[in-house]
Amino acid sequence: EVQLVESGGGLVQPGGSLRLSCAASGFTFSSYWMSWVRQAPGKGLEWVANIKQDGSEKYYVDSVKGRFTISRDNAKNSLYLQMNSLRAEDTAVYYCARFSGLEAHFDYWGQGTLVTVSS
Amino acid sequence: DIQMTQSPSTLSASVGDRVTITCRASQSISSWLAWYQQKPGKAPKLLIYKASSLESGVPSRFSGSGSGTEFTLTISSLQPDDFATYYCQQYNSYSVFTFGPGTKVDIK
């Protein structure tokens, strides 16, 4: 059974940093692109970042470029999101999701971790 | 960037109704469109991919159609478990993905 379990969310002040983690199991982690998708309270879904199987390609939504870094450790079956210079508008539930690849969709999702940016 | 719209934003329906949700892209995305269902406090669940392919385990009352810029999600006979918010998602390269704003299906 595919499982994605996020951790690392919490309350952080504007300008602060936070690192999210996603532990993957039930599939060959190193064979899949992985993604982060977020959802602000009461709002819709927003794709944040993608990373290729070997970490050699990374893509970001414009609003987080230069502030967020996606990474992975295939030996630990783990995905990460380093978030720096956090803003109030980054407040959201952050989901780890498996990207299907050629068929271009997110087929498995974690339960999400809440990040709140507030003073 | 490709923009996605959905209509309606809210839909009130009864159990047994046929429900159709429309998603439009600002430019052609071929068939690179997926549909998700989300219930309050839960993660999204994939329903349809490549515009019309039903994800394994999803009931056959869900179907998708369309290509280019206009797509539809149809629920042939609405069930109590189907009251939720539905999102479309487009893909035009590995570099950008966009979700529609969502359609909430609630009880009439």
Side-chain angles (χ1 to χ4, degrees), chain A:
Chain A
E1 178 193 6
V2 172
Q3 283 200 318
L4 299 168
V5 180
E6 302 94 336
S7 60
L11 175 64
V12 61
Q13 292 188 339
S17 298
L18 211 56
R19 189 195 196 207
L20 305 183
S21 299
C22 171
S25 61
F27 65 102
T28 304
F29 180 73
S30 59
S31 296
Y32 288 86
W33 284 75
M34 294 297 295
S35 310
W36 289 98
V37 177
R38 68 184 179 183
Q39 186 170 35
K43 303 297 185 182
L45 300 167
E46 180 182 42
W47 166 77
V48 174
N50 260 26
I51 185 168
K52 194 176 179 179
Q53 290 93 329
D54 62 359
S56 61
E57 294 182 38
K58 304 174 185 181
Y59 300 96
Y60 302 91
V61 68
D62 284 348
S63 59
V64 308
K65 283 179 182 176
R67 301 188 300 122
F68 289 12
T69 302
I70 188 172
S71 63
R72 65 192 295 162
D73 185 336
N74 288 340
K76 295 183 177 180
N77 290 340
S78 293
L79 176 72
Y80 306 102
L81 186 68
Q82 177 66 43
M83 304 185 294
N84 298 331
S85 303
L86 282 160
R87 306 167 179 167
E89 54 264 36
D90 296 318
T91 294
V93 173
Y94 284 74
Y95 294 102
C96 166
R98 190 178 83 169
F99 182 62
S100 67
L102 290 177
E103 293 173 337
H105 56 271
F106 306 101
D107 55 3
Y108 288 94
W109 300 64
Q111 85 288 351
T113 187
L114 175 62
V115 172
T116 303
V117 184
S118 175
S119 54

Side-chain angles (χ1 to χ4, degrees), chain B:
Chain B
D1 290 355
I2 296 177
Q3 307 301 317
M4 306 299 290
T5 59
Q6 285 182 236
S7 59
S9 56
T10 304
L11 187 160
S12 296
S14 302
V15 172
D17 284 353
R18 181 180 181 87
V19 166
T20 298
I21 298 168
T22 298
C23 177
R24 292 184 175 86
S26 58
Q27 59 185 271
S28 177
I29 57 171
S30 184
S31 295
W32 299 116
L33 187 100
W35 290 97
Y36 302 85
Q37 176 194 68
Q38 187 180 35
K39 297 180 180 179
K42 300 294 186 182
K45 173 188 174 183
L46 175 68
L47 299 175
I48 302 285
Y49 61 95
K50 274 182 71 178
S52 61
S53 295
L54 189 68
E55 172 71 349
S56 175
V58 173
S60 59
R61 63 181 180 272
F62 291 93
S63 63
S65 64
S67 66
T69 61
E70 187 157 331
F71 303 85
T72 58
L73 173 70
T74 300
I75 308 172
S76 59
S77 178
L78 197 67
Q79 298 303 300
D81 191 48
D82 301 338
F83 292 98
T85 299
Y86 294 84
Y87 294 95
C88 60
Q89 168 250 314
Q90 71 85 18
Y91 155 81
N92 69 336
S93 74
Y94 281 122
S95 58
V96 178
F97 304 84
T98 313
F99 290 89
T103 294
K104 183 177 181 181
V105 177
D106 62 20
I107 301 173
K108 189 172 185 179

